[in-house]
């Protein structure tokens, strides 16, 4: 017996074809969940075993990453926010997320436009969100407040660019040994 309130089409597609943009609204809602989680962590820090995997398109206009990472990951990259990251910032007005991470011992600030994200996961609670990548030509490039690099960042950048021996970003060095405090 069919449920009188079940509006799913016979092929099981969800959401069903509609004149309302439900798919875009769902996409925006999922991205909002990711931004809320990142914003919360930027203020409060990570609690317990929570950690994030962020996947984004490196070829998206407005993405700022070191050249050597762009060469290693020309289309997509996943970063992990767990133990060692800094200056996590969510700028909803500009539509960007920025975060400091270390790659091969060199610190870098990554700037990622929100539409460049294709995935967000918090494995500690088995949460995984996947986003449809918005085509770059459909999205205006967000304006970021470009600031000059500090001498330490310049040194980190030059040493990172001169290090071509590393092909894999290893996160083992950043994992805590033993139980986490709390």
């Amino acid at each position: 017996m069919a449920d009188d309130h079940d509006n799913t089409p016979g092929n099981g597609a969800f959401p069903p074809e509609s004149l309302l943009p439900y798919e875009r609204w769902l996409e925006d809602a999922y991205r909002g969940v990711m931004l809320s989680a990142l914003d919360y962590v930027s203020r409060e820090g990570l609690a317990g075993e929570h950690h994030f995997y962020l996947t984004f398109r490196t070829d998206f206009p407005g993405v700022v990453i070191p050249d050597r990472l762009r060469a290693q990951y020309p289309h997509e990259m996943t970063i992990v926010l767990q133990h060692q990251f800094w200056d996590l910032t969510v700028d909803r007005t500009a539509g960007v997320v920025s975060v400091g991470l270390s790659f091969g011992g060199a610190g870098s600030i990554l700037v990622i436009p929100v539409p460049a994200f294709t995935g967000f996961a918090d494995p500690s609670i088995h949460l995984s969100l996947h986003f449809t990548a918005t085509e770059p030509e459909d999205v205006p490039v967000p304006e970021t407040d470009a600031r000059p690099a500090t001498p330490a960042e310049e040194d980190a950048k030059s040493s990172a660019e001169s290090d071509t021996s590393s092909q894999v970003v290893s996160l083992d060095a950043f994992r805590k040994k033993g139980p986490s405090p709390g």
Side-chain angles (χ1 to χ4, degrees), residues 2-62:
D3 180 356
D4 291 338
H5 301 289
D6 183 6
N7 295 325
T8 305
N11 66 5
F14 183 82
E17 259 188 65
S18 171
L19 298 176
L20 297 177
Y22 286 111
E23 287 184 45
R24 187 186 51 162
W25 292 341
L26 287 169
E27 183 87 11
D28 290 347
Y30 289 149
R31 287 182 191 273
V33 168
M34 174 191 71
L35 293 175
S36 293
L38 293 173
D39 195 37
Y40 180 88
V41 167
S42 74
R43 290 186 322 271
E44 307 293 328
L46 283 167
E49 296 299 315
H50 289 280
H51 59 288
F52 301 146
Y53 286 78
L54 299 168
T55 303
F56 62 95
R57 289 184 42 190
T58 57
D59 58 353
F60 196 89

Side-chain angles (χ1 to χ4, degrees), residues 68-69 71-74 77 103-104 160 163-170:
R68 77 178 182 108
L69 292 178
Q72 286 178 295
Y73 305 97
M77 178 178 184
F103 299 94
D163 177 19
T164 57
S165 62
S166 177
Q167 294 299 316
V168 176
V169 176
S170 176

Side-chain angles (χ1 to χ4, degrees), residues 35 39 89-97 112-115 139-145:
L35 293 175
D39 195 37
T89 304
V90 176
D91 186 339
R92 290 179 188 247
T93 304
V96 296
V97 172
I112 308 159
V114 173
V139 177
V141 177
E143 293 183 26
T144 59
D145 292 333

